[in-house]
Amino acid sequence: MTLRQFRRRMGFHLLRLLAAVQARRGMAAVRRSGDRLGRWHHRFAFQQRRSLRRQLERLFDRPAGDPQCRQWLESAYRLSDRAILEVLAMYSGHLTPAEVAEGCEVTGLDVLGKALEQGRGVLLLGWHMGNGVAMATHLAERGYPVSVVHRESNKIQPGFYARGIPRMGLNAIPAQPAAVGVRQMLKTLKGGGIIYILMDQGIKRGVEQRFLNKRMPMPPGPAELARRTGCEILSARLCGVEPNWRFEIHQEATLDKNEPLEQSVEKLTRIMEAPILEHPEWWSWHQRRWARYPFISD
């Protein structure tokens, strides 16, 4: 283990401890702590904050020192850290699924119901915007069969997600090893279930696409699943953050199994890009994915 990995893992354990302590006081306490943590994170992340501000100014064609970009970043740090602390609290064993579901509102359930009636399963796309696992828990509490795809990280102890996700009444599907994950996803969709997956998850290998004016690898898995099963494609878009997370279920375009895979991935990439451009203050710009790639014109 490198020194950097050790520091990241220690940071994770400290956050997990804080989340567990606050979880005993309820979701409102976790929310407040996550909000404060994000404000301090933004304040002390000097180099990262400056770099991200310059990138946002370039992406949105804003002048140097633009106050709007500063506000977007402060909000992004605050909401991202709030969501992270909430997820850790959810997996601590000190919160019930019902408590978590109460802190999240979901509209567009009629769209979800009609999609499930088709009998081909539903691929529900998400972003690193708000607490998507809380949204999935809300659906599970309403009786929807939801599975969450998770990817292990070096800073998190092995099996953390696999143990934590089922505590919320959800089925956990690992993204790795790929063969195992794909089998479980196909089985879930063929059984008429719902798979919640983050399309903007950072990966090392994928199908290169233009995403927020950068060329970067995008995961082909969601497109391949949709093409192989003919499942319905929906998205869970964040539409509000205070006092609760508010999500809305949207119907998205279907994919043609005969079109090139790159074209299918490109369609999903445009779906993922639109809400970020509409609400840049809600996306976690600092979470080690988009920021490390150069702009296309560089």
Side-chain angles (χ1 to χ4, degrees):
M1 181 185 298
T2 66
L3 177 60
R4 183 179 181 183
Q5 289 174 330
F6 175 77
R7 289 172 58 187
R8 292 181 65 204
R9 183 161 292 189
M10 288 301 297
F12 162 75
H13 286 302
L14 289 174
L15 280 178
R16 190 180 66 165
L17 178 60
L18 173 63
V21 170
Q22 296 293 30
R24 295 179 182 274
R25 301 170 57 196
M27 279 296 286
V30 176
R31 184 183 305 118
R32 290 192 297 270
S33 293
D35 188 271
R36 288 194 296 269
L37 184 67
R39 292 181 188 276
W40 283 105
H41 187 184
H42 173 263
R43 182 173 299 178
F44 286 104
F46 301 110
Q47 294 183 351
Q48 184 187 58
R49 189 181 67 219
R50 285 196 296 269
S51 174
L52 285 171
R53 190 190 70 236
R54 295 191 189 101
Q55 293 192 57
L56 286 183
E57 289 167 353
R58 177 168 180 174
L59 175 63
F60 290 95
D61 195 22
R62 298 273 185 164
D66 180 63
Q68 183 66 79
C69 292
R70 292 176 184 271
Q71 293 173 13
W72 286 341
L73 274 181
E74 182 178 3
S75 175
Y77 274 85
R78 179 173 60 85
L79 295 176
S80 176
D81 285 11
R82 167 183 155 189
I84 290 172
L85 199 68
E86 284 183 7
V87 170
L88 294 177
M90 290 164 59
Y91 298 167
S92 69
H94 301 309
L95 291 169
T96 66
E99 290 177 290
V100 173
E102 287 178 2
C104 187
E105 303 169 21
V106 182
T107 58
L109 295 179
D110 56 329
V111 175
L112 179 58
K114 291 178 181 178
L116 288 171
E117 288 175 359
Q118 303 304 311
R120 297 189 296 269
V122 168
L123 187 63
L124 185 58
L125 303 177
W127 292 254
H128 284 86
M129 299 174 78
N131 186 348
V133 186
M135 179 278 305
T137 301
H138 182 98
L139 294 179
E141 278 293 286
R142 285 175 168 263
Y144 292 96
V146 185
S147 297
V148 174
V149 178
H150 64 90
R151 183 180 296 273
E152 296 288 350
S153 169
N154 290 332
K155 69 179 179 181
I156 297 177
Q157 66 189 80
F160 177 76
Y161 289 128
R163 292 190 299 270
I165 291 173
R167 288 176 174 171
M168 292 293 106
L170 304 162
N171 181 43
I173 298 180
Q176 298 169 322
V180 174
V182 169
R183 284 198 299 270
Q184 292 187 31
M185 290 181 225
L186 289 173
K187 182 178 179 180
T188 298
L189 292 174
K190 289 178 180 179
I194 302 168
I195 292 180
Y196 177 64
I197 188 168
L198 294 175
M199 179 66 177
D200 60 346
Q201 182 70 50
I203 60 173
K204 295 181 179 179
R205 297 185 182 88
V207 178
E208 283 208 355
Q209 292 289 325
R210 182 184 184 120
F211 180 66
L212 299 173
N213 207 27
K214 296 187 177 187
R215 294 289 298 182
M216 55 187 293
M218 300 299 288
E224 290 177 334
L225 282 173
R227 286 152 53 97
R228 289 179 63 176
T229 65
C231 66
E232 297 292 314
I233 302 177
L234 308 182
S235 63
R237 301 192 180 195
L238 187 66
C239 57
V241 299
E242 302 293 351
N244 296 331
W245 304 113
R246 299 199 304 276
F247 291 87
E248 185 173 8
I249 306 297
H250 285 257
Q251 178 76 53
E252 303 294 352
T254 58
L255 302 181
D256 183 353
K257 65 179 181 180
N258 296 316
E259 67 186 7
L261 176 62
E262 290 77 10
Q263 186 175 340
S264 295
V265 175
E266 198 274 337
K267 289 179 180 178
L268 296 186
T269 301
R270 298 287 76 77
I271 291 171
M272 299 308 297
E273 190 178 57
I276 299 171
L277 293 173
E278 183 177 357
H279 288 287
E281 73 275 20
W282 292 346
W283 196 55
S284 55
W285 299 94
H286 56 295
Q287 293 299 321
R288 296 197 317 132
R289 49 184 72 85
W290 175 83
R292 64 181 179 175
Y293 290 92
F295 283 96
I296 288 177
S297 58
D298 284 352

